[in-house]
Amino acid sequence: MTRSDAICPLEDFGTLRFRGPDASSFLQGQLSNDVTQLERGSILRAGLHNPQGRTLALLWLASGGDRDILALLPLELVNVVATHLRRFQLRAKLTITDESAQQRIYGRHAPGDTTSPDSWSLAPGRALLLRTVDECAPPGEPMSRTQWRALDVAAGLPQVYAATSAQFVAQMLNLDCINAVSFSKGCYTGQEVIARAHYRGRVKRRLQRFESLAPCSLAIGDSGRLEDGRAFRVIELVQRSDGCSEFLAVAPLPVASHEGDEESRSSAEQSVNARALPLPYALPD
Protein backbone atom coordinates (compact mmCIF):
# COMPACT_ATOMS: atom_id res chain seq x y z
CA MET A 1 0.00 0.00 0.00
CA THR A 2 1.01 3.62 -0.53
CA ARG A 3 1.80 6.08 2.22
CA SER A 4 -1.04 8.42 1.22
CA ASP A 5 -4.79 7.84 1.34
CA ALA A 6 -6.16 5.35 -1.18
CA ILE A 7 -9.76 5.62 -2.36
CA CYS A 8 -11.86 2.71 -3.59
CA PRO A 9 -15.31 3.23 -5.20
CA LEU A 10 -17.64 0.60 -3.72
CA GLU A 11 -19.92 0.52 -6.73
CA ASP A 12 -21.45 -2.80 -5.71
CA PHE A 13 -22.82 -1.29 -2.47
CA GLY A 14 -26.02 0.68 -1.93
CA THR A 15 -27.65 2.82 0.75
CA LEU A 16 -30.88 2.60 2.73
CA ARG A 17 -31.94 5.59 4.85
CA PHE A 18 -34.14 5.14 7.92
CA ARG A 19 -35.72 8.46 8.82
CA GLY A 20 -38.20 9.27 11.57
CA PRO A 21 -38.59 9.33 15.36
CA ASP A 22 -38.89 5.51 15.51
CA ALA A 23 -35.93 4.71 13.26
CA SER A 24 -33.64 3.60 16.08
CA SER A 25 -36.26 1.63 18.04
CA PHE A 26 -37.50 -0.07 14.87
CA LEU A 27 -34.02 -1.29 13.90
CA GLN A 28 -33.36 -2.27 17.51
CA GLY A 29 -36.16 -4.84 17.20
CA GLN A 30 -34.97 -6.16 13.85
CA LEU A 31 -31.16 -6.37 13.96
CA SER A 32 -28.69 -8.42 15.98
CA ASN A 33 -26.63 -5.55 17.36
CA ASP A 34 -27.49 -2.85 19.87
CA VAL A 35 -28.43 0.12 17.71
CA THR A 36 -28.27 2.45 20.72
CA GLN A 37 -24.48 1.99 20.59
CA LEU A 38 -24.30 3.66 17.18
CA GLU A 39 -21.88 6.59 17.38
CA ARG A 40 -21.15 9.43 15.00
CA GLY A 41 -18.05 8.75 12.97
CA SER A 42 -18.13 4.95 13.39
CA ILE A 43 -19.74 2.03 11.58
CA LEU A 44 -21.80 -0.43 13.62
CA ARG A 45 -22.16 -3.86 12.02
CA ALA A 46 -25.47 -5.66 12.52
CA GLY A 47 -27.09 -8.76 11.06
CA LEU A 48 -30.62 -9.08 9.76
CA HIS A 49 -31.88 -12.61 10.38
CA ASN A 50 -34.86 -14.82 9.66
CA PRO A 51 -36.75 -16.66 12.44
CA GLN A 52 -34.36 -19.61 12.07
CA GLY A 53 -31.43 -17.34 12.92
CA ARG A 54 -30.02 -17.43 9.39
CA THR A 55 -28.35 -14.23 8.27
CA LEU A 56 -30.27 -12.49 5.48
CA ALA A 57 -27.90 -9.52 5.26
CA LEU A 58 -25.07 -7.83 7.10
CA LEU A 59 -25.60 -4.08 7.42
CA TRP A 60 -23.03 -1.36 8.01
CA LEU A 61 -24.97 1.18 10.09
CA ALA A 62 -23.94 4.84 10.20
CA SER A 63 -25.39 7.97 11.74
CA GLY A 64 -26.92 10.03 8.96
CA GLY A 65 -27.52 13.20 10.99
CA ASP A 66 -30.84 14.50 12.34
CA ARG A 67 -31.37 11.08 13.95
CA ASP A 68 -31.38 9.41 10.52
CA ILE A 69 -29.68 6.03 10.27
CA LEU A 70 -27.97 4.84 7.11
CA ALA A 71 -27.49 1.18 6.24
CA LEU A 72 -24.79 0.34 3.71
CA LEU A 73 -24.99 -3.11 2.15
CA PRO A 74 -24.44 -4.97 -1.13
CA LEU A 75 -26.49 -3.34 -3.87
CA GLU A 76 -28.00 -6.67 -4.93
CA LEU A 77 -29.67 -6.98 -1.50
CA VAL A 78 -30.90 -3.41 -1.02
CA ASN A 79 -34.38 -3.94 -2.46
CA VAL A 80 -34.75 -7.33 -0.77
CA VAL A 81 -33.84 -5.91 2.64
CA ALA A 82 -36.06 -2.84 2.23
CA THR A 83 -39.04 -5.01 1.25
CA HIS A 84 -38.40 -7.39 4.15
CA LEU A 85 -38.19 -4.61 6.74
CA ARG A 86 -41.28 -2.79 5.48
CA ARG A 87 -43.32 -5.89 6.33
CA PHE A 88 -42.57 -5.21 10.01
CA GLN A 89 -42.98 -1.43 9.90
CA LEU A 90 -46.67 -1.46 10.89
CA ARG A 91 -47.34 1.77 12.85
CA ALA A 92 -43.70 2.69 13.45
CA LYS A 93 -43.04 6.31 12.55
CA LEU A 94 -40.27 6.09 10.00
CA THR A 95 -39.62 5.91 6.29
CA ILE A 96 -37.26 3.45 4.58
CA THR A 97 -35.75 4.95 1.45
CA ASP A 98 -33.42 3.44 -1.11
CA GLU A 99 -30.87 6.16 -1.88
CA SER A 100 -28.49 3.98 -3.89
CA ALA A 101 -29.11 5.93 -7.10
CA GLN A 102 -28.36 9.25 -5.40
CA GLN A 103 -25.34 8.26 -3.30
CA ARG A 104 -21.90 6.85 -3.99
CA ILE A 105 -19.96 4.92 -1.35
CA TYR A 106 -16.15 5.06 -1.16
CA GLY A 107 -13.70 3.16 0.95
CA ARG A 108 -10.65 5.01 2.28
CA HIS A 109 -7.48 3.17 3.26
CA ALA A 110 -4.84 5.22 5.04
CA PRO A 111 -1.65 4.35 6.90
CA GLY A 112 -2.63 6.57 9.80
CA ASP A 113 -5.84 7.82 11.37
CA THR A 114 -8.83 7.74 9.00
CA THR A 115 -11.16 9.78 11.21
CA SER A 116 -12.57 12.91 9.61
CA PRO A 117 -15.83 14.85 9.89
CA ASP A 118 -17.17 13.38 6.64
CA SER A 119 -16.33 9.70 7.16
CA TRP A 120 -17.14 6.69 9.34
CA SER A 121 -14.44 4.46 10.75
CA LEU A 122 -14.86 0.89 9.53
CA ALA A 123 -11.70 -0.81 10.82
CA PRO A 124 -8.18 0.30 11.79
CA GLY A 125 -6.85 2.36 8.92
CA ARG A 126 -10.10 2.10 6.96
CA ALA A 127 -13.13 4.33 6.65
CA LEU A 128 -16.23 4.85 4.52
CA LEU A 129 -17.33 8.04 2.83
CA LEU A 130 -20.58 8.99 1.13
CA ARG A 131 -20.89 11.41 -1.79
CA THR A 132 -23.84 12.38 -3.96
CA VAL A 133 -23.66 11.41 -7.62
CA ASP A 134 -23.00 15.07 -8.49
CA GLU A 135 -19.98 15.38 -6.20
CA CYS A 136 -16.41 14.56 -7.10
CA ALA A 137 -14.77 11.47 -5.67
CA PRO A 138 -12.72 12.03 -2.50
CA PRO A 139 -9.05 12.84 -3.10
CA GLY A 140 -6.59 10.00 -2.91
CA GLU A 141 -4.75 7.42 -4.95
CA PRO A 142 -6.99 4.95 -6.81
CA MET A 143 -7.53 1.61 -5.12
CA SER A 144 -9.20 -1.32 -6.88
CA ARG A 145 -12.16 -3.24 -5.49
CA THR A 146 -9.97 -6.35 -5.45
CA GLN A 147 -7.43 -4.61 -3.22
CA TRP A 148 -10.19 -3.48 -0.85
CA ARG A 149 -11.67 -6.97 -0.79
CA ALA A 150 -8.24 -8.40 0.03
CA LEU A 151 -8.21 -6.25 3.18
CA ASP A 152 -11.55 -7.77 4.21
CA VAL A 153 -10.26 -11.29 3.66
CA ALA A 154 -7.07 -10.62 5.62
CA ALA A 155 -9.13 -9.13 8.46
CA GLY A 156 -11.56 -12.06 8.50
CA LEU A 157 -14.50 -9.74 7.82
CA PRO A 158 -17.48 -11.48 6.20
CA GLN A 159 -20.12 -10.00 3.95
CA VAL A 160 -23.43 -11.52 2.90
CA TYR A 161 -24.42 -11.49 -0.76
CA ALA A 162 -27.39 -12.91 -2.65
CA ALA A 163 -25.56 -16.23 -3.09
CA THR A 164 -25.06 -16.66 0.66
CA SER A 165 -28.14 -14.95 2.08
CA ALA A 166 -30.18 -17.06 4.57
CA GLN A 167 -27.54 -19.81 4.58
CA PHE A 168 -25.74 -19.36 7.90
CA VAL A 169 -26.49 -18.64 11.54
CA ALA A 170 -24.68 -15.55 12.87
CA GLN A 171 -21.92 -17.49 14.66
CA MET A 172 -21.05 -19.44 11.51
CA LEU A 173 -20.10 -16.10 9.95
CA ASN A 174 -18.20 -15.05 13.10
CA LEU A 175 -20.58 -12.13 13.62
CA ASP A 176 -20.09 -12.63 17.34
CA CYS A 177 -16.33 -12.11 16.86
CA ILE A 178 -16.58 -8.84 14.90
CA ASN A 179 -19.00 -7.03 17.22
CA ALA A 180 -22.07 -7.54 15.05
CA VAL A 181 -24.16 -9.31 17.71
CA SER A 182 -25.27 -8.12 21.14
CA PHE A 183 -26.24 -10.75 23.71
CA SER A 184 -27.50 -8.19 26.22
CA LYS A 185 -30.05 -6.25 24.15
CA GLY A 186 -33.71 -7.09 23.80
CA CYS A 187 -35.39 -9.48 21.40
CA TYR A 188 -35.05 -9.40 17.63
CA THR A 189 -35.94 -11.82 14.86
CA GLY A 190 -33.77 -14.94 15.10
CA GLN A 191 -32.55 -14.05 18.59
CA GLU A 192 -33.58 -17.34 20.20
CA VAL A 193 -31.55 -19.48 17.81
CA ILE A 194 -28.50 -17.21 17.99
CA ALA A 195 -28.61 -17.01 21.79
CA ARG A 196 -29.00 -20.78 22.08
CA ALA A 197 -25.92 -21.33 19.92
CA HIS A 198 -24.04 -18.88 22.12
CA TYR A 199 -24.99 -20.22 25.54
CA ARG A 200 -25.67 -23.92 25.04
CA GLY A 201 -23.09 -25.34 22.70
CA ARG A 202 -20.05 -24.90 20.59
CA VAL A 203 -20.61 -23.97 16.95
CA LYS A 204 -19.01 -26.69 14.84
CA ARG A 205 -18.83 -24.68 11.61
CA ARG A 206 -17.14 -21.31 11.52
CA LEU A 207 -15.81 -18.75 9.07
CA GLN A 208 -12.15 -19.54 8.41
CA ARG A 209 -9.45 -18.12 6.18
CA PHE A 210 -7.73 -20.20 3.50
CA GLU A 211 -5.23 -19.89 0.68
CA SER A 212 -5.37 -22.25 -2.29
CA LEU A 213 -2.02 -23.81 -3.13
CA ALA A 214 -2.84 -24.31 -6.81
CA PRO A 215 -4.89 -22.34 -9.35
CA CYS A 216 -8.61 -22.91 -8.85
CA SER A 217 -11.88 -21.41 -10.00
CA LEU A 218 -13.96 -20.21 -7.07
CA ALA A 219 -16.68 -17.61 -6.63
CA ILE A 220 -18.68 -16.30 -3.69
CA GLY A 221 -21.28 -18.90 -2.77
CA ASP A 222 -19.37 -21.81 -4.31
CA SER A 223 -19.09 -25.05 -2.37
CA GLY A 224 -16.15 -27.40 -2.30
CA ARG A 225 -14.14 -29.79 -0.21
CA LEU A 226 -10.74 -29.39 1.38
CA GLU A 227 -8.21 -32.19 1.00
CA ASP A 228 -8.83 -33.24 4.62
CA GLY A 229 -12.45 -33.93 3.71
CA ARG A 230 -14.07 -30.86 5.25
CA ALA A 231 -16.73 -29.22 3.09
CA PHE A 232 -16.72 -25.44 2.74
CA ARG A 233 -18.72 -22.62 1.22
CA VAL A 234 -17.04 -19.44 0.02
CA ILE A 235 -18.11 -16.19 1.72
CA GLU A 236 -15.51 -13.75 0.36
CA LEU A 237 -12.45 -14.17 -1.84
CA VAL A 238 -9.79 -12.57 -4.00
CA GLN A 239 -8.07 -14.27 -6.89
CA ARG A 240 -4.41 -13.57 -7.45
CA SER A 241 -2.68 -13.15 -10.79
CA ASP A 242 -1.21 -16.68 -10.44
CA GLY A 243 -4.71 -18.16 -10.36
CA CYS A 244 -4.61 -19.03 -6.67
CA SER A 245 -7.18 -17.60 -4.27
CA GLU A 246 -7.25 -16.33 -0.73
CA PHE A 247 -10.74 -16.75 0.64
CA LEU A 248 -13.02 -16.80 3.65
CA ALA A 249 -15.25 -19.85 3.87
CA VAL A 250 -17.59 -21.47 6.36
CA ALA A 251 -16.29 -24.96 7.14
CA PRO A 252 -16.23 -27.40 10.06
CA LEU A 253 -13.54 -26.55 12.55
CA PRO A 254 -10.56 -28.93 12.29
CA VAL A 255 -11.49 -30.66 15.57
CA ALA A 256 -15.20 -30.92 14.76
CA SER A 257 -16.69 -34.22 13.73
CA HIS A 258 -18.05 -34.42 10.19
CA GLU A 259 -20.38 -37.28 10.97
CA GLY A 260 -24.02 -36.61 10.23
CA ASP A 261 -23.26 -33.38 8.39
CA GLU A 262 -25.62 -33.82 5.48
CA GLU A 263 -24.96 -30.34 4.13
CA SER A 264 -21.24 -31.02 4.01
CA ARG A 265 -21.68 -34.26 2.10
CA SER A 266 -24.16 -32.94 -0.43
CA SER A 267 -22.77 -29.47 -1.14
CA ALA A 268 -19.15 -30.21 -2.06
CA GLU A 269 -18.50 -29.71 -5.77
CA GLN A 270 -14.74 -29.61 -6.14
CA SER A 271 -11.66 -30.54 -4.19
CA VAL A 272 -9.35 -27.64 -3.34
CA ASN A 273 -5.77 -27.96 -2.15
CA ALA A 274 -5.58 -25.17 0.42
CA ARG A 275 -3.89 -24.26 3.66
CA ALA A 276 -5.45 -22.49 6.61
CA LEU A 277 -4.34 -18.95 7.35
CA PRO A 278 -4.69 -17.29 10.76
CA LEU A 279 -7.51 -14.91 11.56
CA PRO A 280 -6.65 -11.67 13.39
CA TYR A 281 -9.12 -12.55 16.14
CA ALA A 282 -9.70 -15.62 18.30
CA LEU A 283 -12.65 -17.93 17.81
CA PRO A 284 -14.65 -18.82 20.96
CA ASP A 285 -13.83 -22.15 22.60
Side-chain angles (χ1 to χ4, degrees):
M1 288 296 170
T2 63
R3 293 181 178 276
S4 59
D5 288 5
I7 299 295
C8 175
L10 302 180
E11 297 177 348
D12 57 326
F13 269 64
T15 307
L16 286 175
R17 183 180 292 271
F18 299 84
R19 170 176 290 161
D22 294 341
S24 180
S25 59
F26 172 76
L27 291 175
Q28 184 78 336
Q30 298 298 323
L31 304 181
S32 62
N33 213 343
D34 187 350
V35 180
T36 65
Q37 300 302 306
L38 183 62
E39 298 179 350
R40 289 185 179 274
S42 295
I43 290 293
L44 183 73
R45 294 180 176 88
L48 174 67
H49 305 274
N50 65 17
Q52 293 73 42
R54 304 277 170 162
T55 309
L56 302 175
L58 179 59
L59 311 183
W60 294 341
L61 301 181
S63 173
D66 297 327
R67 294 190 299 175
D68 290 5
I69 296 176
L70 302 177
L72 313 179
L73 68 157
L75 188 60
E76 62 189 13
L77 290 179
V78 167
N79 185 59
V80 174
V81 168
T83 300
H84 175 88
L85 288 174
R86 288 185 183 118
R87 295 194 190 108
F88 301 93
Q89 188 171 347
L90 302 176
R91 297 180 181 177
K93 297 177 181 178
L94 80 155
T95 58
I96 304 172
T97 308
D98 179 0
E99 296 190 351
S100 304
Q102 293 79 43
Q103 306 283 357
R104 294 290 179 267
I105 304 169
Y106 296 89
R108 174 191 286 162
H109 180 264
D113 189 7
T114 55
T115 58
S116 66
D118 65 341
S119 68
W120 301 284
S121 176
L122 179 67
R126 301 171 71 192
L128 298 176
L129 304 95
L130 209 62
R131 296 287 187 270
T132 67
V133 293
D134 299 324
E135 291 181 290
C136 296
E141 296 188 15
M143 182 181 193
S144 71
R145 185 67 175 88
T146 297
Q147 290 174 309
W148 182 267
R149 197 183 300 273
L151 295 174
D152 284 334
V153 173
L157 296 176
Q159 186 49 260
V160 175
Y161 301 95
T164 51
S165 179
Q167 299 299 310
F168 302 104
V169 173
Q171 286 93 336
M172 295 180 185
L173 296 172
N174 296 353
L175 298 192
D176 55 334
C177 302
I178 62 168
N179 192 31
V181 179
S182 170
F183 294 103
S184 59
K185 61 169 281 183
C187 295
Y188 58 91
T189 303
Q191 183 260 349
E192 275 191 37
V193 176
I194 295 169
R196 190 182 308 122
H198 176 69
Y199 290 111
R200 293 190 179 179
R202 187 182 183 203
V203 178
K204 294 184 178 180
R205 288 193 295 155
R206 282 276 188 177
L207 185 80
Q208 298 163 69
R209 180 180 167 213
F210 299 98
E211 177 187 38
S212 68
L213 300 178
C216 61
S217 178
L218 288 173
I220 292 170
D222 280 358
S223 298
R225 190 176 293 276
L226 302 170
E227 288 200 329
D228 63 6
R230 287 182 293 154
F232 68 84
R233 190 161 189 186
V234 178
I235 301 301
E236 192 71 278
L237 89 160
V238 287
Q239 190 164 25
R240 302 197 303 250
S241 58
D242 61 2
C244 296
S245 298
E246 186 175 333
F247 58 99
L248 300 175
V250 172
L253 294 168
V255 297
S257 171
H258 307 166
E259 295 180 6
D261 191 344
E262 294 297 332
E263 185 172 350
S264 292
R265 287 201 293 267
S266 63
S267 65
E269 296 179 354
Q270 60 176 305
S271 178
V272 176
N273 181 14
R275 69 183 180 103
L277 297 176
L279 291 168
Y281 50 79
L283 297 179
D285 294 329

